[in-house]
């Protein structure tokens, strides 16, 4: 595998024309690059605080085999160790600095090791996730009383408060308020509250717009004092059912594999694990022994 098999561009439309079909060919596994690319196409330079993306495709004999997106960090589709090393060589030769890499666990690990060899940067595993795809949707029993309701403009303050609580719970460093909302990853989501029979919101779930037949459920959040009552399962079923009704062929979500409660819940309602995910941060090169 040669480093020059990777073709780089900052032209989002050209990248979509050349690599879009490849990404749509496996919409569940490519959920993140599909939604990132759609946001770039929709919002242009404002999509990620004015950052200009570097987009790459691995192409041989006219066929695309993999892609990457370098934005806040490096996001990859599935690569072999040889492909990961060729990409590391290309990016290192061009002088790029990478804050982190995010991909399925095997790819992220292979690239992190290749980047260490090529640059001396020290990789550190920051995050593990599990990617699930919906099989047969199965509402939980017992089912809590109440109903789902789409979040409207009048709910904005309530929604932002819960999103702030969610990001704190998962250790995500982001400012969520009226001024920053449009630049967060939550701004393009569609949110649903689960309400008790008397109209009090007790849980929420978000979902992406459909792209390539795929909708991702994200985030799911219940305030700590309301957990253990089935609300998270009810609202997840609600948004999953809405995704299927909208015509989605792939409904997916990420979960923390270290959280047995959420993983058991998602599997009870019909989600099945399809891959493990990892994020490695890159620190400075280790000093040579002297």
């Amino acid at each position: 595998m040669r480093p020059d098999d990777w073709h780089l561009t900052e032209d989002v439309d050209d990248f979509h024309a050349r690599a879009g079909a490849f990404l749509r060919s496996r919409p569940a596994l490519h959920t993140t690059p599909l939604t990132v690319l759609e946001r770039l196409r929709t919002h242009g330079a404002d999509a990620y605080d004015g950052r200009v993306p570097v987009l790459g495709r691995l192409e041989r004999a006219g066929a695309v085999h993999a892609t990457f997106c370098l934005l806040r960090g490096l996001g990859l589709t599935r690569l072999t160790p040889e492909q990961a090393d060729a990409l590391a060589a290309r990016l290192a030769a061009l002088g790029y600095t990478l804050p982190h890499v995010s991909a399925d666990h095997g790819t992220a690990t292979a690239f992190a090791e290749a980047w260490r060899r090529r640059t001396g940067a020290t990789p550190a595993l920051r995050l593990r996730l599990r990617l699930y795809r919906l099989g047969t949707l199965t509402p939980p029993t017992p089912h809590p009383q109440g109903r789902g309701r789409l979040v409207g403009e009048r709910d904005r303050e309530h929604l932002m408060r819960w999103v702030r609580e969610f990001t704190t719970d998962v250790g995500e460093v982001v400012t969520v308020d009226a001024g920053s909302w449009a630049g967060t990853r939550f701004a393009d989501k569609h949110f649903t509250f689960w309400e008790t029979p008397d109209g009090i919101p007790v849980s929420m779930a978000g979902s992406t717009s459909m792209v390539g037949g795929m909708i991702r459920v994200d985030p799911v959040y219940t305030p700590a004092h309301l957990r253990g009552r089935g609300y998270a399962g009810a609202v997840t079923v609600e948004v999953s059912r809405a995704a299927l009704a909208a015509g989605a062929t792939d409904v997916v979500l990420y979960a923390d594999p270290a959280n047995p409660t959420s993983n058991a819940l998602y599997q009870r309602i019909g989600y099945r694990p399809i891959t493990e995910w990892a994020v490695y941060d890159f620190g400075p090169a280790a000093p040579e022994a002297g």
Side-chain angles (χ1 to χ4, degrees):
M1 182 62 60
R2 303 186 306 271
D4 59 3
D5 288 329
W6 282 96
H7 302 270
L8 280 58
T9 183
E10 295 180 357
D11 187 326
V12 173
D13 291 331
D14 179 69
F15 177 80
H16 178 261
R18 296 175 183 274
F22 165 76
L23 293 175
R24 293 189 297 273
S25 70
R26 306 183 76 180
L29 284 175
H30 297 161
T31 175
T32 298
L34 279 169
T35 53
V36 169
L37 182 59
E38 188 64 16
R39 185 170 187 182
L40 288 167
R41 293 179 67 216
T42 301
H43 299 290
D46 295 330
Y48 292 91
D49 303 323
R51 290 180 173 88
V52 176
V54 179
L55 302 164
R57 69 187 190 280
L58 176 61
E59 186 173 308
R60 301 194 77 176
V64 176
H65 296 273
T67 68
F68 77 79
C69 176
L70 176 54
L71 198 55
R72 290 170 176 160
L74 181 68
L76 302 173
T77 61
R78 186 163 285 172
L79 301 176
T80 66
E82 181 187 25
Q83 292 166 344
D85 186 67
L87 177 59
R90 181 69 183 278
L91 296 179
L94 292 172
Y96 284 106
T97 299
L98 304 182
H100 66 263
V101 63
S102 173
D104 68 274
H105 187 268
T107 296
T109 301
F111 183 87
E113 174 58 22
W115 193 246
R116 183 195 62 77
R117 290 194 308 269
R118 297 286 180 177
T119 69
T122 305
L125 181 63
R126 169 165 49 99
L127 183 64
R128 290 283 299 270
L129 294 171
R130 183 167 294 144
L131 180 61
Y132 287 88
R133 180 182 182 274
L134 181 61
T136 301
L137 185 61
T138 307
T141 54
H143 195 273
Q145 292 186 328
R147 66 183 184 93
R149 176 177 66 79
L150 290 175
V151 172
E153 188 60 34
R154 65 187 175 90
D155 304 302
R156 180 56 59 91
E157 287 299 324
H158 192 153
L159 173 63
M160 286 193 294
R161 183 174 76 252
W162 275 6
V163 169
R164 282 194 294 271
E165 293 173 7
F166 166 79
T167 58
T168 298
D169 272 8
V170 300
E172 190 171 333
V173 180
V174 60
T175 300
V176 179
D177 56 29
S180 64
W181 178 259
T184 70
R185 70 181 184 86
F186 306 101
D188 293 334
K189 303 287 176 63
H190 312 283
F191 285 90
T192 295
F193 282 159
W194 185 262
E195 293 183 333
T196 60
D198 53 357
I200 298 174
V202 289
S203 190
M204 75 169 184
S207 63
T208 63
S209 295
M210 184 160 55
V211 53
M214 180 278 304
I215 290 176
R216 186 172 68 251
V217 177
D218 170 56
V220 177
Y221 175 73
T222 305
H225 69 285
L226 295 171
R227 294 171 190 169
R229 308 182 193 187
Y231 298 142
V235 76
T236 303
V237 166
E238 187 77 9
V239 296
S240 301
R241 183 182 287 123
L244 294 173
T249 56
D250 293 81
V251 185
V252 301
L253 56 79
Y254 288 107
D256 179 357
N259 185 332
T261 300
S262 61
N263 284 265
L265 165 64
Y266 296 139
Q267 292 184 68
R268 282 199 305 274
I269 64 179
Y271 282 86
R272 299 293 176 257
I274 58 173
T275 195
E276 302 293 309
W277 204 261
V279 179
Y280 285 89
D281 289 329
F282 292 117
E288 295 184 11

